[in-house]
Amino acid sequence: QAKLVFIISLILGTTITISSNHWITAWAGLEINTLAILPLISKSHHPRAIEAATKYFLTQAAASTLVLFSSMTNAWYTGQWDITQLTHPTSCLILTSAISMKLGLAPFHFWFPEVLQGSPLTTGLLLSTTMKLPPLTLLYMTSPSLNPTVLTIMGILSAAIGGWMGLNQTQTRKIMAFSSISHLGWMAIILVYNPKLTLLNFYLYSLMTAAVFLTLNTIKVLKLSTLMTTWAKTPSLSTMLLLTLLSLAGLPPLTGFLPKWLIIQELTKQEMAPAATTIALLSLLSLFFYLRLAYCTTITLPPHTTNYMKQWRTNKPTNPAIAILTTLSITLLPIAPMIHAAF
């Protein structure tokens, strides 16, 4: 019952923010979202979950305050409360930092892995996909007046931090958090030049992340050592997880390659080849930890020397949502021209 209320509030808050023209309604939508997700984070009553909810609340409240502050500054100077009319440079800068805090874009990323680690896998999925949509739409609407240099630096920094800090993680939720940070870097770097590509990247990222999170939720995996035992339990699901992870990493025959390809192409058109090269090389870091996840899932076949609990193979049918999402996150590359035309 309560869960239904929270989910409806989430949908409501997101819809309000996405469809608003006025800064105050956008802010109200963001607040509704924050308040609706908090009980979902802390529902296990574990101290770690309560801590995660507190951290989440504090960062989101600070970010919302900054959003209000930037829009008020802009209204003070220009007399405009319209979201698309954010023209004052200072307010643009404050807004960029506020939305970065909301999204977990480096250098404001510190809260995100902690919060994700403290929440259940399904809530983690919501946090890394649905909760990113409203702030991203605000960035999309204000993109013409944002500062390209700031966003490029933040994008490269996010890709770097998401890659480097994900390398030595053993917890799957933290790995997914750092993966999210590096994907956000790709979205930030292209935002000013081609905002539609940012949205495309976000949609495809959400699709692949949803597939990974739901798979992990099905096999109840929270750390890498558990992942090693899943082969005996659900071989077909593990194989698909391998492909989905490689797709998240952006390897060519898979869906994840499409946004990276289009973004690098657009950056080269904008004569930003050095930035494109840097961010492409930094995505190799995240490729390493996706490969490690994939390795743990499929290549470490029992019996091996690590001690682990034996898993029984179950005959439970796979959730159709996982099947659809996995298929989409592996096979969308051939229809790239159609997607590109749509965007």
Side-chain angles (χ1 to χ4, degrees):
Q1 218 66 29
K3 212 181 220 174
L4 187 67
V5 175
F6 300 140
I7 301 289
I8 290 172
S9 304
L10 273 179
I11 297 168
L12 176 74
T14 308
T15 316
I16 289 176
T17 305
I18 290 172
S19 55
S20 59
N21 290 318
H22 194 288
W23 275 112
I24 298 291
T25 44
W27 168 81
L30 290 172
E31 286 299 303
I32 293 173
N33 254 356
T34 304
L35 293 176
I37 195 89
L38 284 172
L40 295 177
I41 298 174
S42 59
K43 72 165 186 264
S44 67
H45 297 299
H46 188 278
R48 181 72 59 84
I50 305 294
E51 182 192 354
T54 314
K55 282 178 179 169
Y56 185 76
F57 174 73
L58 291 173
T59 44
Q60 297 298 312
S64 293
T65 316
L66 280 176
V67 167
L68 263 189
F69 179 54
S70 79
S71 51
M72 281 163 78
T73 313
N74 188 63
W76 178 260
Y77 278 103
T78 61
Q80 279 287 351
W81 275 105
D82 198 46
I83 293 181
T84 46
Q85 303 295 320
L86 189 83
T87 45
H88 193 257
T90 316
S91 358
C92 288
L93 213 58
I94 298 171
L95 180 83
T96 310
S97 51
I99 301 284
S100 308
M101 270 177 86
K102 278 228 166 273
L103 289 171
L105 190 67
F108 304 102
H109 64 281
F110 296 99
W111 62 273
F112 190 55
E114 301 293 322
V115 170
L116 219 59
Q117 180 58 31
S119 31
L121 280 166
T122 38
T123 311
L125 169 61
L126 283 177
L127 279 171
S128 30
T129 54
T130 327
M131 299 304 287
K132 307 260 159 144
L133 184 58
L136 262 175
T137 46
L138 289 180
L139 275 186
Y140 178 81
M141 287 191 275
T142 52
S143 61
S145 45
L146 297 178
N147 184 338
T149 324
V150 173
L151 281 166
T152 306
I153 292 169
M154 283 172 119
I156 290 176
L157 196 62
S158 293
I161 285 174
W164 261 307
M165 291 181 73
L167 290 181
N168 59 353
Q169 301 295 337
T170 55
Q171 300 284 340
T172 47
R173 285 169 293 185
K174 275 200 173 167
I175 292 181
M176 291 312 292
F178 287 115
S179 126
S180 179
I181 292 169
S182 63
H183 275 272
L184 279 169
W186 282 85
M187 293 175 218
I189 200 166
I190 199 65
L191 182 75
V192 177
Y193 306 104
N194 192 339
K196 289 197 166 145
L197 275 186
T198 300
L199 285 188
L200 171 69
N201 193 346
F202 175 71
Y203 295 145
L204 293 178
Y205 153 77
S206 301
L207 198 116
M208 297 181 288
T209 307
V212 172
F213 265 113
L214 290 173
T215 307
L216 292 178
N217 190 39
T218 304
I219 47 189
K220 299 280 178 282
V221 170
L222 295 178
K223 51 184 191 290
L224 287 183
S225 53
T226 326
L227 203 54
M228 291 188 179
T229 64
T230 57
W231 182 254
K233 196 179 176 185
T234 48
S236 50
L237 200 57
S238 302
T239 316
M240 293 319 258
L241 181 62
L242 163 83
L243 287 171
T244 316
L245 285 165
L246 294 182
S247 182
L248 256 179
L251 290 186
L254 308 165
T255 310
F257 177 58
L258 173 63
K260 286 189 166 48
W261 174 29
L262 293 176
I263 286 174
I264 287 176
Q265 188 183 354
E266 185 64 36
L267 284 174
T268 332
K269 276 183 197 161
Q270 301 287 347
E271 295 176 354
M272 289 178 65
T277 315
T278 314
I279 200 164
L281 286 173
L282 287 171
S283 72
L284 288 174
L285 290 170
S286 33
L287 171 64
F288 178 82
F289 62 75
Y290 292 125
L291 274 176
R292 202 173 62 169
L293 270 172
Y295 183 90
C296 285
T297 317
T298 50
I299 305 171
T300 47
L301 287 182
H304 46 73
T305 48
T306 50
N307 293 321
Y308 63 91
M309 292 288 292
K310 272 276 193 293
Q311 299 271 0
W312 287 94
R313 184 173 300 194
T314 52
N315 287 333
K316 262 195 321 195
T318 309
N319 185 346
I322 299 180
I324 294 166
L325 286 166
T326 311
T327 312
L328 286 177
S329 54
I330 293 171
T331 55
L332 282 187
L333 194 65
I335 61 162
M338 188 174 102
I339 296 174
H340 198 201
F343 276 85

